Amino acid sequence: MSSPLEVAARPSDAEVQDMLAKAVRLYAERAMEAEQALAPFPPETPMTATEVMVTVTAMLKAVNLQVFELGMWQAWSGR
């Protein structure tokens, strides 16, 4: 069971959504401006495949995109 301090420090769903939306916009802007590929995470921040897949799946559903469309965009854009 979580302690009261851990529960109080945990951001709300709305706060998580707001942070993710801001991070996505900032990352996309920087990645499109960059001459080289911009790593999505710092090297010292390990991310699991499951964490990434859960997040990306939710993001694709939110904007009504299929994995096929993502693959086509990657092929056409070279990203």
Side-chain angles (χ1 to χ4, degrees):
M1 182 169 227
S2 299
S3 72
L5 181 57
E6 289 172 338
V7 172
R10 183 182 168 117
S12 69
D13 290 350
E15 290 169 323
V16 171
Q17 291 167 325
D18 185 57
M19 288 185 286
L20 182 58
K22 288 176 182 173
V24 167
R25 285 190 179 105
L26 284 170
Y27 179 84
E29 181 179 309
R30 296 270 173 92
M32 288 187 282
E33 293 173 352
E35 306 239 344
Q36 304 175 33
L38 175 62
F41 313 112
E44 66 279 357
T45 306
M47 300 295 295
T48 68
T50 300
E51 291 168 329
V52 172
M53 287 189 295
V54 166
T55 306
V56 169
T57 298
M59 292 168 64
L60 290 172
K61 284 182 179 181
V63 295
N64 196 30
L65 284 175
Q66 300 298 314
V67 174
F68 174 78
E69 293 168 303
L70 174 61
M72 292 298 294
W73 180 82
Q74 289 172 331
W76 290 338
S77 70
R79 293 187 182 261

